[in-house]
Amino acid sequence: MLKVVLCRSYEFICAPIVHQRYRQEFWHGKAKGRAEPFTRPDLSLSSQDWGNLVVGRISSWVDMDSPLDNVRRDAEKVLEQEFAYSGHLGLPSILLSLRSVNSQNLARFVYSKILPASQKLIWVHVPLHAPELVAQKLMASSLDEEDDQELPADLDTWEWWSRFHRSCDSDKKLSLVLELNSADLPSHTQMMRWLGEPLAAVVLPTHIFMTNKHGCPVLSRPHQAFVNLLYRLDIQVMIKGCDRHNNLRYYQQYMEHLWNSQPPDDPLTRFARGFEDFLQVPLQPLMDNLESSTYEIFEKDPIKYSKYQEAIHRALEDRVPVERRGDTVVTVMVVGAGRGPLVRATLIASEICGVNVRVYAVEKNPNAIVTLYSEKRDYWGSKVTVVACDMREWDPPEKADILVSELLDPLETTNFPQSASMEPRSVVTEDGISIPASYTSYICPIQSPKLYGDISTMRDKDKHPMSNFEMPYVVRLHNHTQLCEPQALFTFHHPNREPVIDNNRYKSAQFTASFKCTIHGFAGYFDTQLYKDVQLSILPSTHSPGMFSWFPIFFPLREPVYVRQGEVVTANFWRLATHRKVWYEWNISSPLVVPIHNPTGRSYTIGL
Amino acid sequence: MLKVVLCRSYEFICAPIVHQRYRQEFWHGKAKGRAEPFTRPDLSLSSQDWGNLVVGRISSWVDMDSPLDNVRRDAEKVLEQEFAYSGHLGLPSILLSLRSVNSQNLARFVYSKILPASQKLIWVHVPLHAPELVAQKLMASSLDEEDDQELPADLDTWEWWSRFHRSCDSDKKLSLVLELNSADLPSHTQMMRWLGEPLAAVVLPTHIFMTNKHGCPVLSRPHQAFVNLLYRLDIQVMIKGCDRHNNLRYYQQYMEHLWNSQPPDDPLTRFARGFEDFLQVPLQPLMDNLESSTYEIFEKDPIKYSKYQEAIHRALEDRVPVERRGDTVVTVMVVGAGRGPLVRATLIASEICGVNVRVYAVEKNPNAIVTLYSEKRDYWGSKVTVVACDMREWDPPEKADILVSELLDPLETTNFPQSASMEPRSVVTEDGISIPASYTSYICPIQSPKLYGDISTMRDKDKHPMSNFEMPYVVRLHNHTQLCEPQALFTFHHPNREPVIDNNRYKSAQFTASFKCTIHGFAGYFDTQLYKDVQLSILPSTHSPGMFSWFPIFFPLREPVYVRQGEVVTANFWRLATHRKVWYEWNISSPLVVPIHNPTGRSYTIGL
């Protein structure tokens, strides 16, 4: 069988560890006490083939959660035997199927097998629709989102998976294998929820394929669309069932065709390749000095600096009427000049619109200063004054007409005007302009067991046990689902002309769950108005096309929060600062309470 | 004022830290920028008096959760000032009042103040009824349990407290001060729920007192009953409001009278005094050898051994018909004989009923053997054979007619017949008797933020971060509330005559919440049938009167689970064993999933 499959160019096979024929019973029943060997011998394949080509499937008849004691005990014995034999064979992973919402005893067993430091992966096979619904053709139509009512837990296969997974503390060795077991697909929101789960593979039974005019198997358009979404998660495809199109190879060829006909990636996706769901500790540009390679990455962004240039251009034009452009010099201060991209943008804008500028390039990183001086000597000349100083300690010789500051982290916590303990009003003239003029952060509850599992396994003995959950991470969010649309969190305007300046913030935001799911934390985004309608955004709905300077940020929750469709999630966020540092605290206060994370900044602060 | 109060024999006073007259505003309003000092000077009392006699009350007008930014920021400044001043004065605790269900910003502030290693306690003052309900006289009658519907969260002051407390991670420095602000009391179940919270004090406004025929203040009978329940938690009583009975001292005298007229404690309560809510690691009598003092405590129990004696007596009588008592000798094996209490019980029973016995006293603890030999020499003589051996390794010269084994831990995990990897059928004759004949463990979900807080603060760097939550504790449960009636968990019968013996167990139990509450874990109890209707029980409803040998056991949950009235809680418990050890695993799988605790016994096992 394996040979047949592999010469049809499949990459692996999923086969039962023990054939049903060898079924054994330990506690009762006629198979009790059979003296025969319990499965085929290991000599049928080489170790290398067992280890690379075969996923072992647990006997489907075992019922670990039977209400009958004897059945359950038999099941435990059989599973014990099959797990041991798959270990003996060196199979890379084991596939087992969930058959109902109640699989707590199976979960307990599996959890005990994956906890030891074995590398074996468990593939948890779940049908997209409960077989009961398929039999009765009761699936909600995928087109009728209005009718998208919450299924009872015992008919909702996402509940089957989710409860099983959570019982095992969302262990990373567990992956999901989803079977598209019907020609119907669930609603869009429900499909998106599956995309937030740690999918390893999708199972396509041959009966869901249609036949095209050449007699070859093809999927319906909705199935194609869903499979295309799944492909983005880099999953395996498994074909199941008897060959209904004369040659098993045709299925494989068709799936390869689908794979190859996906649209090419956009620049951001290309740039982010390899960084999907990779958790990064946010930069601390005010406390640390950035490295050359970091500058290089930021400078390569095709959008960010051209938008800055456009904003500066517009501001210069507004600042000086056409008739006075010959005899007026506009003072521009570039704060956080780095290796000079914003200085260049300023000079080019000045050139184009014919407004003269005097530029102060202020930078605290002595390593970047080297580059700034060399640029000044070679290209910029007297128009630019390099100031090797922390802006916050600088006493400027004059006030700025335009203050241009660099944007760095995804919540703009460390952006200069707001990180300064006092707003630098004194630096800008009374009618001076700040670029950016404002920015707004956004948050959205998301489901991502993958990120939750990753954070759970990071542990630092010397820190508070929750510290990994009490800091935000910069991450290219990939294997996740948004609960609903993001909401605005905090807005900052510059220059801030309020009588008392307080950059502390508190907001309680309410989100209504579009579907039943589990929240593992919050995605953080921002958008910014550089000048008038010149904007930058990393918010998914308004993302500046092609811009890759910022990934979203992720605020984890130390416990996943289960929410039902229509329930209101109240998230509380605080931005708090002292003269030396700034930090966030966050929690959830409905539908249930999760303790406040990072109180007093005990686990994470950003140095100023 | 303080002098007035103290000479009325009160023990302390609760007074505002800053008088309303000194009210300051920082952001807006007419009190902004007042140059006066913000409160009375500290010279008015000595440091010792400030530190012992005064609980500081936070200004009641501050609104930390106002939707108005300016009001909120003013409140933050005022709170900062009042906390600082109460620190300056050295007040032992600070009282602040919750005014609505939404106090997340207040919680954040308070949490940040108690996290540092200060010893200051926060008393969180909550009315028993939402003032809105009191004003409209809408409280449910305390007699009408049928009508006991769940209040909406904003009118349920338990929600106010519970959300606040949970936001601060149930920190131990937070205690509850409950004000009985109406002549009506809530339903019994709701009052029981308050008794599960960490109460520091109760506030009795003078207006709820009635006047008796002598013109003195008295409480209504329901209030008396509730105050009596509260007294058990060893709390403070605070009298609030103007004197309506001519002398403040009368209130104090009445409360003292109530205190003194409580019924005397039963023997168990007396025995357990000082052990309330004290978490103890269960004994490991099979692995370790018990100490002399431990034996002494067990032997002092007035009930346990007399019940054993009764059971042995009944078994001996059943075993030997009256006419054959002269010429029959019954073989009794006492397993885990310790210092001999069960041997004594056997000999006395034999004496009384006139059935001759031959007793084997089997004990593995070499230190206890010393006592057994001395007892044999001095009192027992040839009737008793001392066997210095672990029962599980002993090859007995004959079979026992009656096997008597000691009960030790509250779930009987380590009781000999079931801890042995094989049931010792071979030790008992075919129609032999085991005493105990069976036992059953029970569990019940309970609310106890106190125990949760205690377990949270235990940390062992070298262990799994959840390990404190993954073990059971023996504890005299005190400050807790049961969600509903306990349910039977596992039953063991002895001698076990099943063809295959398997002492592993799994049970999924469902509990319906009688009221909205938070579950922090499970109380574990047991009862045992020693012989026929001779029983012992530590189950609250059937507790053997006066028996103190066992406190309940507590299985914690790593996250509190919030459940609504009428919701079904599914608890899963496993008893698992290898040849060398036995352990429990547990979790909750509805209304939401909590991961399986102690998988593979990673945090806790009982050695065999």
Side-chain angles (χ1 to χ4, degrees):
Chain A
M1 179 62 189
L2 185 67
K3 277 189 200 141
V4 175
V5 169
L6 295 175
C7 38
R8 297 291 181 281
S9 60
Y10 287 82
E11 285 172 4
F12 69 98
I13 182 175
C14 179
I17 300 165
V18 170
H19 196 279
Q20 182 137 20
R21 184 165 65 223
Y22 292 94
R23 173 168 177 166
Q24 300 214 337
E25 283 155 329
F26 296 84
W27 291 89
H28 71 131
K30 58 180 192 255
K32 193 178 155 188
R34 284 172 72 162
E36 300 162 46
F38 62 88
T39 188
R40 65 181 92 73
D42 53 0
L43 292 175
S44 48
L45 281 181
S46 71
S47 286
Q48 206 190 338
D49 286 352
W50 283 121
N52 286 309
L53 304 175
V54 182
V55 170
R57 201 172 76 224
I58 293 295
S59 289
S60 58
W61 59 269
V62 299
D63 185 358
M64 286 290 277
D65 287 274
S66 168
L68 302 173
D69 242 31
N70 282 337
V71 174
R72 186 169 56 72
R73 286 181 164 158
D74 257 351
E76 285 167 9
K77 282 271 187 190
V78 169
L79 238 67
E80 195 69 65
Q81 200 174 52
E82 300 194 357
F83 265 74
Y85 200 64
S86 74
H88 175 74
L89 295 176
L91 304 186
S93 46
I94 295 176
L95 181 139
L96 51 85
S97 301
L98 299 188
R99 303 195 303 179
S100 84
V101 71
N102 177 27
S103 54
Q104 290 296 308
N105 196 43
L106 179 61
R108 208 257 342 136
F109 180 90
V110 170
Y111 196 18
S112 77
K113 292 297 166 195
I114 56 178
L115 261 192
S118 87
Q119 286 308 303
K120 202 159 300 265
L121 301 175
I122 308 290
W123 283 10
V124 183
H125 171 229
V126 180
L128 187 58
H129 300 284
E132 208 177 318
L133 291 182
V134 175
Q136 298 174 33
K137 302 200 184 233
L138 283 176
M139 284 87 64
S141 158
S142 58
L143 299 170
D144 198 357
E145 294 277 339
E146 301 286 309
D147 244 12
D148 192 17
Q149 291 196 343
E150 197 177 292
L151 284 171
D154 55 337
L155 293 177
D156 182 353
T157 60
W158 178 82
E159 281 276 3
W160 300 8
W161 154 255
S162 178
R163 289 195 191 182
F164 180 88
H165 194 217
R166 178 82 184 114
S167 292
C168 301
D169 209 3
S170 310
D171 198 283
K172 290 175 68 176
K173 287 180 191 152
L174 296 173
S175 310
L176 172 66
V177 172
L178 190 63
E179 176 167 342
L180 307 190
N181 62 331
S182 150
D184 290 298
L185 285 175
S187 68
H188 180 71
T189 48
Q190 282 185 33
M191 291 196 290
M192 295 315 287
R193 187 174 58 177
W194 285 113
L195 292 178
E197 298 294 345
L199 274 158
V202 61
V203 176
L204 302 174
T206 53
H207 69 76
I208 68 160
F209 284 86
M210 303 182 301
T211 307
N212 70 5
K213 58 189 173 189
H214 305 296
C216 290
V218 291
L219 289 173
S220 72
R221 290 217 167 266
H223 275 102
Q224 281 182 39
F226 190 38
V227 168
N228 272 329
L229 289 174
L230 293 170
Y231 271 153
R232 290 199 205 146
L233 296 178
D234 203 20
I235 59 159
Q236 308 276 3
V237 175
M238 294 161 74
I239 304 294
K240 170 184 172 180
C242 58
D243 180 2
R244 298 151 56 100
H245 292 87
N246 303 323
N247 192 332
L248 271 178
R249 176 178 283 170
Y250 290 155
Y251 299 102
Q252 191 276 333
Q253 282 173 348
Y254 175 69
M255 295 316 295
E256 195 163 280
H257 160 74
L258 269 191
W259 170 259
N260 289 328
S261 38
Q262 290 185 96
D265 288 340
D266 60 69
L268 173 56
T269 307
R270 273 202 308 279
F271 172 79
R273 201 170 291 145
F275 286 99
E276 292 91 351
D277 291 325
F278 179 72
L279 295 163
Q280 296 172 280
V281 175
L283 294 172
Q284 297 247 13
L286 290 172
M287 244 180 24
D288 307 333
N289 288 320
L290 301 183
E291 289 168 19
S292 187
S293 61
T294 312
Y295 286 121
E296 193 172 291
I297 290 170
F298 283 126
E299 288 167 19
K300 271 187 185 159
D301 191 305
I303 304 302
K304 177 180 164 187
Y305 293 110
S306 73
K307 285 285 181 186
Y308 258 104
Q309 183 184 319
E310 190 185 335
I312 298 165
H313 184 146
R314 298 270 299 277
L316 287 172
E317 282 185 341
D318 286 357
R319 191 81 191 162
V320 189
V322 179
E323 63 278 12
R324 295 191 44 215
R325 290 200 184 153
D327 58 1
T328 310
V329 177
V330 176
T331 305
V332 180
M333 285 180 191
V334 175
V335 175
R339 308 198 306 182
L342 288 177
V343 177
R344 270 184 291 275
T346 307
L347 295 175
I348 294 168
S350 150
E351 191 88 358
I352 294 171
C353 67
V355 176
N356 295 319
V357 291
R358 180 164 51 244
V359 182
Y360 292 89
V362 189
E363 175 55 50
K364 73 165 193 12
N365 178 353
N367 312 307
I369 288 289
V370 174
T371 314
L372 288 176
Y373 272 120
S374 118
E375 291 284 293
K376 175 181 161 69
R377 188 191 60 212
D378 297 347
Y379 307 107
W380 302 339
S382 61
K383 278 188 181 167
V384 176
T385 308
V386 174
V387 181
C389 180
D390 189 319
M391 177 66 189
R392 294 167 290 179
E393 287 151 17
W394 185 42
D395 183 21
E398 60 179 317
K399 291 198 176 192
D401 296 306
I402 303 176
L403 181 80
V404 182
S405 60
E406 185 63 276
L407 290 159
L408 283 169
D409 67 285
L411 287 187
E412 296 322 315
T413 308
T414 50
N415 183 262
F416 162 68
Q418 104 203 32
S419 65
S421 50
M422 286 299 286
E423 171 78 10
R425 273 172 292 189
S426 52
V427 177
V428 185
T429 61
E430 249 180 45
D431 60 346
I433 294 166
S434 170
I435 295 176
S438 70
Y439 28 73
T440 300
S441 51
Y442 295 80
I443 51 163
C444 181
I446 64 168
Q447 167 178 301
S448 179
K450 182 169 192 318
L451 295 181
Y452 181 81
D454 285 350
I455 295 171
S456 298
T457 52
M458 301 176 182
R459 243 170 243 156
D460 188 336
K461 274 189 177 185
D462 295 324
K463 287 191 184 163
H464 185 272
M466 287 299 157
S467 58
N468 303 315
F469 287 105
E470 295 201 333
M471 59 176 286
Y473 297 88
V474 171
V475 56
R476 166 74 172 161
L477 292 170
H478 192 58
N479 190 180
H480 78 294
T481 306
Q482 286 191 345
L483 184 72
C484 51
E485 282 304 302
Q487 285 188 31
L489 187 61
F490 304 137
T491 298
F492 295 87
H493 294 278
H494 300 291
N496 186 339
R497 304 196 198 273
E498 292 282 312
V500 186
I501 289 182
D502 181 357
N503 285 326
N504 282 2
R505 292 284 189 282
Y506 165 51
K507 176 140 181 187
S508 182
Q510 303 205 311
F511 301 87
T512 304
S514 321
F515 44 89
K516 186 165 61 180
C517 72
T518 309
I519 306 174
H520 296 94
F522 298 89
Y525 310 101
F526 82 101
D527 65 15
T528 176
Q529 182 200 8
L530 291 177
Y531 182 72
K532 293 192 171 167
D533 60 349
V534 184
Q535 313 221 346
L536 293 175
S537 168
I538 66 160
L539 201 62
S541 57
T542 59
H543 201 292
S544 305
M547 183 172 72
F548 57 67
S549 282
W550 299 279
F551 290 155
I553 205 158
F554 177 62
F555 288 91
L557 286 172
R558 65 190 230 189
E559 317 158 2
V561 173
Y562 174 84
V563 289
R564 296 194 174 85
Q565 189 175 322
E567 253 179 344
V568 173
V569 177
T570 306
N572 304 293
F573 272 78
W574 290 265
R575 179 198 192 274
L576 298 159
T578 66
H579 287 271
R580 302 308 312 151
K581 59 192 183 179
V582 52
W583 71 96
Y584 287 84
E585 301 185 14
W586 63 97
N587 82 331
I588 279 183
S589 60
S590 86
L592 49 79
V593 178
V594 177
I596 292 165
H597 286 51
N598 197 30
T600 68
R602 69 173 167 197
S603 299
Y604 184 74
T605 60
I606 302 148
L608 294 182
Chain B
M1 177 64 187
L2 185 68
K3 277 190 202 143
V4 174
V5 169
L6 295 176
C7 41
R8 297 291 181 281
S9 58
Y10 287 82
E11 285 173 2
F12 68 97
I13 182 175
C14 179
I17 300 165
V18 170
H19 196 279
Q20 183 137 17
R21 184 166 61 222
Y22 291 94
R23 173 165 177 166
Q24 300 215 337
E25 283 156 327
F26 297 85
W27 291 88
H28 71 129
K30 59 179 189 254
K32 192 178 155 189
R34 282 171 73 160
E36 301 162 46
F38 62 88
T39 188
R40 66 180 91 73
D42 52 0
L43 292 176
S44 47
L45 282 180
S46 72
S47 286
Q48 206 189 337
D49 286 351
W50 283 121
N52 286 310
L53 304 176
V54 182
V55 170
R57 200 169 79 224
I58 294 295
S59 290
S60 58
W61 58 270
V62 298
D63 185 359
M64 285 292 277
D65 286 275
S66 167
L68 302 174
D69 243 31
N70 282 338
V71 174
R72 186 170 54 72
R73 285 180 166 158
D74 257 350
E76 285 166 8
K77 282 271 186 187
V78 169
L79 240 65
E80 195 70 65
Q81 200 174 52
E82 299 193 358
F83 266 73
Y85 199 64
S86 73
H88 175 73
L89 295 177
L91 304 186
S93 45
I94 295 176
L95 181 138
L96 51 84
S97 303
L98 299 187
R99 303 195 304 179
S100 84
V101 71
N102 177 27
S103 54
Q104 291 296 308
N105 196 43
L106 178 62
R108 208 252 348 128
F109 179 89
V110 170
Y111 196 17
S112 76
K113 292 298 166 194
I114 56 177
L115 262 190
S118 86
Q119 287 308 305
K120 200 159 301 259
L121 302 173
I122 307 290
W123 283 10
V124 183
H125 171 231
V126 181
L128 187 60
H129 299 284
E132 208 176 319
L133 291 182
V134 176
Q136 298 174 32
K137 303 201 183 229
L138 284 176
M139 284 87 64
S141 158
S142 58
L143 299 169
D144 198 356
E145 294 279 337
E146 300 286 308
D147 244 12
D148 192 17
Q149 291 194 345
E150 197 176 292
L151 284 170
D154 55 336
L155 293 179
D156 183 353
T157 59
W158 178 82
E159 281 277 3
W160 300 8
W161 154 255
S162 179
R163 290 195 190 182
F164 180 87
H165 194 216
R166 179 82 184 114
S167 293
C168 300
D169 209 2
S170 311
D171 197 283
K172 289 175 66 176
K173 288 182 192 151
L174 296 174
S175 311
L176 172 65
V177 172
L178 191 63
E179 176 168 341
L180 308 191
N181 61 332
S182 149
D184 290 298
L185 285 175
S187 69
H188 181 71
T189 48
Q190 281 184 33
M191 290 195 290
M192 294 315 288
R193 188 174 59 178
W194 284 114
L195 291 179
E197 298 293 346
L199 274 160
V202 61
V203 176
L204 302 174
T206 51
H207 68 76
I208 67 161
F209 284 87
M210 303 182 302
T211 306
N212 71 4
K213 57 188 172 189
H214 305 297
C216 290
V218 291
L219 290 173
S220 71
R221 289 214 169 269
H223 274 102
Q224 282 181 36
F226 190 38
V227 167
N228 272 328
L229 289 174
L230 292 169
Y231 271 154
R232 290 200 206 147
L233 295 177
D234 203 19
I235 59 161
Q236 307 276 3
V237 175
M238 292 160 74
I239 304 294
K240 172 184 169 181
C242 56
D243 181 2
R244 297 151 58 100
H245 292 85
N246 302 325
N247 193 333
L248 271 178
R249 178 178 279 170
Y250 290 155
Y251 300 102
Q252 192 274 334
Q253 281 172 348
Y254 176 69
M255 296 315 295
E256 198 163 277
H257 161 74
L258 270 191
W259 171 258
N260 289 329
S261 40
Q262 289 185 97
D265 288 340
D266 61 67
L268 173 56
T269 307
R270 271 201 308 279
F271 173 79
R273 199 169 293 145
F275 286 99
E276 292 91 351
D277 291 325
F278 179 71
L279 296 163
Q280 296 172 281
V281 175
L283 293 173
Q284 297 247 11
L286 290 171
M287 243 180 25
D288 307 334
N289 288 320
L290 301 184
E291 290 168 18
S292 187
S293 61
T294 313
Y295 286 121
E296 193 172 290
I297 289 170
F298 283 126
E299 288 166 18
K300 273 189 187 157
D301 191 305
I303 304 302
K304 178 179 164 188
Y305 293 110
S306 74
K307 285 284 180 183
Y308 257 105
Q309 183 184 319
E310 189 186 338
I312 297 165
H313 183 149
R314 297 270 299 278
L316 287 173
E317 281 185 341
D318 286 357
R319 194 80 192 163
V320 189
V322 177
E323 62 278 13
R324 294 190 45 214
R325 290 201 184 151
D327 58 0
T328 311
V329 176
V330 176
T331 304
V332 180
M333 284 180 191
V334 175
V335 174
R339 308 199 307 182
L342 288 177
V343 177
R344 270 185 291 273
T346 307
L347 295 175
I348 294 168
S350 152
E351 190 89 358
I352 293 171
C353 66
V355 176
N356 297 318
V357 291
R358 180 163 53 246
V359 182
Y360 293 90
V362 189
E363 174 55 50
K364 71 165 195 14
N365 179 353
N367 311 309
I369 288 290
V370 173
T371 314
L372 289 176
Y373 273 121
S374 120
E375 292 284 292
K376 176 181 160 69
R377 190 193 58 211
D378 296 347
Y379 307 106
W380 304 338
S382 61
K383 277 187 183 168
V384 177
T385 308
V386 175
V387 181
C389 180
D390 189 319
M391 177 68 192
R392 294 166 291 180
E393 286 150 19
W394 184 43
D395 182 20
E398 61 178 316
K399 290 198 177 193
D401 297 304
I402 302 177
L403 181 79
V404 183
S405 59
E406 184 62 277
L407 291 159
L408 282 169
D409 67 283
L411 287 186
E412 294 323 311
T413 309
T414 52
N415 184 260
F416 163 67
Q418 106 204 31
S419 67
S421 51
M422 286 299 289
E423 173 78 8
R425 273 170 296 190
S426 52
V427 177
V428 184
T429 60
E430 249 179 48
D431 59 348
I433 293 167
S434 170
I435 295 176
S438 70
Y439 28 72
T440 301
S441 51
Y442 295 81
I443 51 163
C444 181
I446 64 168
Q447 167 179 302
S448 177
K450 180 167 191 327
L451 295 181
Y452 181 81
D454 284 350
I455 295 170
S456 298
T457 52
M458 303 175 181
R459 241 169 244 156
D460 186 338
K461 274 188 175 185
D462 295 324
K463 288 193 182 160
H464 187 274
M466 288 299 157
S467 58
N468 302 317
F469 287 103
E470 295 200 333
M471 60 176 286
Y473 298 86
V474 171
V475 57
R476 165 73 173 165
L477 292 170
H478 191 61
N479 189 182
H480 76 295
T481 305
Q482 286 191 346
L483 185 70
C484 50
E485 281 303 302
Q487 285 188 32
L489 187 61
F490 305 137
T491 297
F492 296 89
H493 295 278
H494 300 293
N496 185 339
R497 304 195 197 275
E498 293 281 313
V500 185
I501 289 182
D502 182 356
N503 285 326
N504 281 1
R505 293 285 188 281
Y506 165 50
K507 175 137 179 189
S508 183
Q510 302 205 310
F511 302 87
T512 304
S514 321
F515 44 90
K516 184 163 65 178
C517 73
T518 308
I519 305 174
H520 296 94
F522 298 90
Y525 310 101
F526 84 101
D527 63 16
T528 177
Q529 181 200 9
L530 290 176
Y531 182 71
K532 294 195 173 163
D533 60 349
V534 184
Q535 314 221 347
L536 293 176
S537 168
I538 66 161
L539 202 61
S541 57
T542 59
H543 201 292
S544 305
M547 183 173 71
F548 56 69
S549 280
W550 299 279
F551 290 154
I553 205 159
F554 177 65
F555 288 92
L557 286 171
R558 64 190 230 190
E559 317 160 1
V561 173
Y562 173 85
V563 292
R564 296 192 175 85
Q565 188 175 324
E567 253 180 343
V568 173
V569 177
T570 306
N572 303 292
F573 272 78
W574 292 266
R575 180 198 191 272
L576 299 159
T578 67
H579 288 270
R580 303 305 313 150
K581 57 191 183 182
V582 53
W583 70 96
Y584 286 83
E585 301 185 14
W586 63 97
N587 82 330
I588 279 185
S589 61
S590 86
L592 48 81
V593 178
V594 177
I596 292 165
H597 285 51
N598 196 30
T600 71
R602 70 173 165 195
S603 301
Y604 183 76
T605 61
I606 301 147
L608 294 182

